[in-house]
Every structure is written in structure tokens, then in C-alpha cells.
Amino acid sequence: MDLVNIPDLVNFFSRFGNEFAYLAVFSTLILCGFGLPIPEDISLVSGGVLAGLGYANEHVMFGVGMAGVLVGDGSVFLLGRVFGEKVLQIPFIAKFLTPERFSKVQEKFSQYGNWVVFMARFMPGLRMPIYLTAGTSDRISFFRFLFLDMFAAAISVPIWVYLGHYGAKNLDQLSTLVHQGQITVFALLGILVLGLVLYFTIKKKRSGK
């Protein structure tokens, strides 16, 4: 279950008033990129709810959500790029990314290449370790990382923000919709992963001929 639910986060954001609602959501999303134990999708949905309740504009909130996600993810990537594998020695990083987990993520990059960055957007709990590992490697440039992350975010961010806006007046129903949406996203991710596995398996067999 989520550590923070939608009503709690909406109440927290609304305390900042109309003028700072965008800043509150933006700042939270950046911190989510660094491992803040608040699900990113719940933060985005709560931003949409704020818009539905009149604290913000839903289209501007979508832009703020995209910016917060990209700034947070990009910062994590650059942290890995600047410090390299020494980043594993930073205390708060070491809590999320152990040497064993770091090695496993590197293996995924070897198997699936840069697609790992795209898929990480839909895998809560694995985003930060994957983006940090991507930064420490020379497998992907910052701009290519940003492009893939933006491509994935352009799919997920509007779903959560506009879903929050749609269900702002009925939070109980909204929680159900979010749960269903999460299941759908994971199902689609599973299909994508299966497709990539089949693709790389066939490619490997052909290259071995």
C-alpha cells in the first residue's frame, strides 16, 4: 500500500494556497526523483485534484508535472555522471542502491540497452537506481536519457494529472480508478518487457547464425 494517500497529499499541497500549489507539486516531484517515499503517480494525481478543486489549472499542472519529473530524473542522472561509481558511497544513495543492486541494473542495461531507461518510468522503486546507474555508465548520453525519459513521461504524466482532475470531486472513486490505472500500467509494462525479451532473443539467435 502507498505510504501517503491522495487526500493527505492534497491537503498538504492545498495549504500552500493557489500561488504556491505549482511549486509544492514541482518540489515534491523533484524529491521523488531522489527517493522520497511518496509515489510519483500519487503526487501527480494529487496535482490534478488540486486543479479540479480550483487551486490550479489542469493544463499548467501537466506542464509543471512534466518539468518536475524531468528535473528530478535528470538531476539523479547527472549525480551519477559526475561522481561515477563513487556515488554508491554517499549515505542516502547507499540506502537505495547497494553494490549488488547496482550490478543487477548494469546487467539489465547489457541485455536491453537504453530501453531500460524508458521502462524505468513505469517501475516505482526502481527509477532512481536505474537512472543513477545510467548516469554512472557511458552507455547513454544525457540528452538521449532526457529524450527517453521525456517520451515515457509524456505517456504517464498526463494520465495521472488528468485522472486526478477528473476525479477531484469524488476521492473514493478516484482511489479506485488510480488503483485500476496502476494495474493497467503494470500489465502494459509486462507486455512491453515480454516483447523486448522476444525481440532480443530472436536478434541474438540470428546474429549467432
Side-chain angles (χ1 to χ4, degrees):
M1 296 296 292
D2 297 325
L3 296 178
V4 178
N5 58 40
I6 296 171
D8 288 342
L9 203 53
V10 169
N11 289 334
F12 173 73
F13 287 153
S14 63
R15 291 178 184 176
F16 292 89
N18 296 43
E19 296 180 0
F20 297 101
Y22 299 119
L23 181 60
V25 174
F26 178 76
S27 302
T28 300
L29 288 170
I30 291 178
L31 293 175
C32 285
F34 283 91
L36 183 72
I38 298 177
E40 212 171 68
D41 50 4
I42 298 301
S43 301
L44 291 166
V45 169
S46 299
V49 171
L50 286 180
L53 295 177
Y55 289 96
N57 176 277
E58 66 272 22
H59 306 305
V60 176
M61 187 59 75
F62 162 60
V64 169
M66 286 290 294
V69 163
L70 294 176
V71 171
D73 295 346
S75 299
V76 170
F77 178 92
L78 290 175
L79 186 66
R81 182 56 49 94
V82 171
F83 289 97
E85 294 190 18
K86 291 181 180 179
V87 76
L88 299 178
Q89 300 172 9
I90 300 176
F92 87 93
I93 295 293
K95 292 181 180 179
F96 298 96
L97 190 59
T98 62
E100 294 78 13
R101 199 174 193 184
F102 180 74
S103 298
K104 289 182 179 179
V105 174
Q106 285 183 314
E107 290 177 9
K108 296 302 180 184
F109 268 103
S110 298
Q111 287 179 300
Y112 306 116
N114 295 339
W115 277 104
V116 173
V117 171
F118 175 84
M119 292 187 293
R121 161 68 22 214
F122 307 98
M123 295 187 289
L126 292 178
R127 292 187 193 116
M128 195 271 271
I130 289 175
Y131 295 159
L132 197 62
T133 303
T136 63
S137 72
D138 293 324
R139 297 176 182 273
I140 183 172
S141 68
F142 174 69
F143 292 106
R144 184 164 181 79
F145 166 83
L146 207 59
F147 171 77
L148 288 171
D149 192 38
M150 183 171 61
F151 180 34
I155 297 172
S156 63
V157 172
I159 290 175
W160 299 126
V161 171
Y162 290 112
L163 183 62
H165 179 261
Y166 170 78
K169 301 297 175 62
N170 191 338
L171 294 185
D172 289 335
Q173 181 187 28
L174 178 60
S175 297
T176 301
L177 290 174
V178 169
H179 181 66
Q180 292 173 345
Q182 290 172 328
I183 293 175
T184 301
V185 167
F186 283 126
L188 292 175
L189 178 63
I191 293 172
L192 177 61
V193 170
L194 180 60
L196 288 174
V197 170
L198 291 174
Y199 169 76
F200 284 107
T201 300
I202 294 172
K203 184 178 180 181
K204 186 176 180 180
K205 288 182 178 180
R206 287 179 177 177
S207 62
K209 290 183 179 180

